[in-house]
Every structure is written in C-alpha cells, then in structure tokens.
Amino acid sequence: MSNSRKYPQADIKILYAKAGGRCSFSSCRKDVVLESTHKEKKKQIGKIAHIVAHSSNGPRANSGFPHDKLDTYDNWILLCPTCHDTVDAQESKYTVDSLLEIKAEHEAWVADQLDQGMSSVSFAELEIAAKAIASGKHSNASDFQVIPPGEKISKNGLTEFSRSYIAMGLSRSAEVGRFLSSMDQIDDGYPEKLKSGFRQKYMELKQASNGDELFMAMLEFAQAGQTSFAQKAASLAILSHLFHLCEVFEK
C-alpha cells in the first residue's frame, strides 16, 4: 500500500524514523527516502504495508481487528516497492506474526546503529549536521530560556517515543556544546545563527503539526536526508541540545 491514502502524519513520521528510512527486510534495507530535484525536499519511495489488511479481502485480513487501528503505526511495516509486492504476493509465508517479528528486528537494528553512531559523534559529523539547521540569519531573541527537558517534553505533548530520541541525543550534549564554543571562535555569533535556523523552522512547522509529529518533522529537517547513521546521530544530538537550550517548543 502506498502513501496516497490519508494516513495520520505523526504515525508516518514515526514509522519512517523507527525504520531509519530503510526497507525493513534485513536482506534489503534499501534507502526509501531519496534526493529530489526540488531544493530541500526528499522523495519517499517507501511503501506502507499493512500487517493486518486494510480491506476485508486483502492479504492477512482479520475482521476482528479494530478498524480504528488499521491505519496506524502499530499495523504498518515500511518496505521498498519490491519487498512490498513480495509480502502481499506470498501471504502464507509472510503472516501477521512474521511481519511483526521482521519489523521489531529491523527497528532494533536501526536503534542499535543509531546508538553506535551516537557514541562516535565527532566535530566532523557535527559540522556537517549543523549546516542543515543554520539559516545564516542572526536573531537576538531574548525569551529563550532553559527549563528541565522532562518538563518541556510534558508541556509539548511528546510521548515516550520522542522522549527516547531526546534522551539519546542529550547523551552527546557536552560534545555539541564544545563544538558550538569552538565554532563561535571561528565565526562570531555562529551558535546564534544555528539557533535562529532552528527557531525559524520550528515556527514554520508548528503551524501544521504538534507533539510527536512536530518533533519528528524537526528531526527530519535536522537530518536533511542523511543516510549515514553517524550523521543521523549528529543531527539528533544537535536537535536535542537545542531543544534543551532554546525555549522553542512551548513552555
């Protein structure tokens, strides 16, 4: 099933994030978010496969499955077009249980790769990641104050999903702080330029989203289509640091 149906956007962003933007088959793991000809836009070629069929006569149909759960993250697995067609063509092989297992194993692999990437985040990765956020416009906003991350998470309606990402990113907050201090010596006002880009994108995205959907949209912006887990980790580290440092998300 493609993304043409009106799916909950927060669920789509969570699906792509937890799958690392890759096909969930361990024998494939092809990137399903590709470069686009449009500036700063990416093309999603992934297919959202329903684990329990959306229709009563589809693969792995179950009339007793709650209808309001059919089009949600819990009932989806992200696949490339080829693997999607394979799954639906071989219903007896790819059962509900086997797809849930494939999904869980892939998401565990992605989390492990991101964790490994986070442990090796260096100046080089942070410099590349920062370029995606910095707008180059200097802003002297004065109402950005630090409050405890847990308090900010609650006030912005973020669930355990976003909390786990923020916690992972904050594990490298000290490295991000040192990076920003170093860059400030080279380019006066650099940290503020970075924060300005963060604020600008946040104000744009908050018009149409909130909660986990908004946080994941910010992470998508920060990662700027990076496929390397080291770069994904660096982007998450910067986003988490700025989330804590700047009062951009609601008080």
Side-chain angles (χ1 to χ4, degrees):
M1 187 67 62
S2 69
N3 295 356
S4 58
R5 185 178 287 135
K6 292 293 184 180
Y7 294 147
Q9 288 300 304
D11 290 61
I12 291 176
K13 291 187 181 301
I14 289 174
L15 179 71
Y16 269 81
K18 297 200 73 167
R22 296 169 183 256
C23 176
S24 298
F25 270 29
S26 60
S27 58
C28 179
R29 288 183 175 150
K30 180 185 300 181
D31 290 327
V32 294
V33 181
L34 305 179
E35 293 287 344
S36 172
T37 55
H38 300 290
K39 186 179 180 181
E40 296 184 352
K41 289 187 177 181
K42 306 295 173 181
K43 181 175 179 60
Q44 294 180 342
I45 64 167
K47 295 285 188 176
I48 295 177
H50 286 79
I51 296 172
V52 173
H54 185 274
S55 61
S56 59
N57 60 351
R60 300 169 300 280
N62 179 356
S63 59
F65 192 82
H67 189 268
D68 62 346
K69 300 295 184 182
L70 287 171
D71 285 333
T72 63
Y73 158 77
D74 289 335
N75 190 45
W76 295 339
I77 181 171
L78 184 64
L79 301 170
C80 71
T82 299
C83 290
H84 175 275
D85 290 347
T86 299
V87 162
D88 280 358
Q90 299 182 32
E91 181 180 355
S92 60
K93 180 178 180 179
Y94 297 106
T95 64
V96 169
D97 287 342
S98 69
L99 289 180
L100 287 172
E101 183 177 354
I102 289 170
K103 177 182 179 180
E105 289 179 349
H106 177 67
E107 290 183 350
W109 176 82
V110 169
D112 185 60
Q113 295 302 304
L114 188 58
D115 187 53
Q116 290 183 39
M118 191 66 70
S119 66
S120 60
V121 166
S122 68
F123 189 101
E125 286 83 21
L126 290 171
E127 187 173 24
I128 293 172
K131 290 179 180 178
I133 302 175
S135 67
K137 299 176 181 178
H138 195 88
S139 171
N140 291 313
S142 60
D143 60 342
F144 288 79
Q145 303 172 0
V146 176
I147 65 172
E151 183 179 342
K152 186 179 294 187
I153 287 170
S154 296
K155 289 185 176 181
N156 283 276
L158 302 180
T159 70
E160 182 57 34
F161 175 74
S162 294
R163 182 188 294 269
S164 65
Y165 271 76
I166 293 168
M168 184 184 293
L170 285 177
S171 70
R172 306 299 285 184
S173 188
E175 285 76 6
V176 176
R178 286 193 288 270
F179 164 74
L180 293 177
S181 295
S182 177
M183 289 300 297
D184 195 33
Q185 300 301 312
I186 301 171
D187 182 356
D188 185 38
Y190 181 87
E192 189 56 43
K193 293 175 185 177
L194 191 66
K195 296 173 193 176
S196 179
F198 181 83
R199 296 167 186 149
Q200 186 178 36
K201 192 64 178 181
Y202 171 79
M203 296 305 294
E204 173 189 329
L205 293 172
K206 72 174 293 191
Q207 302 303 315
S209 57
N210 55 48
D212 287 331
E213 180 183 348
L214 178 54
F215 182 81
M216 295 315 301
M218 287 298 297
L219 180 57
E220 183 179 37
F221 159 68
Q223 291 180 338
Q226 295 286 349
T227 57
S228 159
F229 282 106
Q231 283 304 145
K232 286 177 179 287
S235 299
L236 175 58
I238 290 178
L239 176 62
S240 299
H241 181 80
L242 294 180
F243 175 86
H244 171 58
L245 186 65
C246 310
E247 188 55 27
V248 178
F249 283 77
E250 301 304 314
K251 295 181 180 180

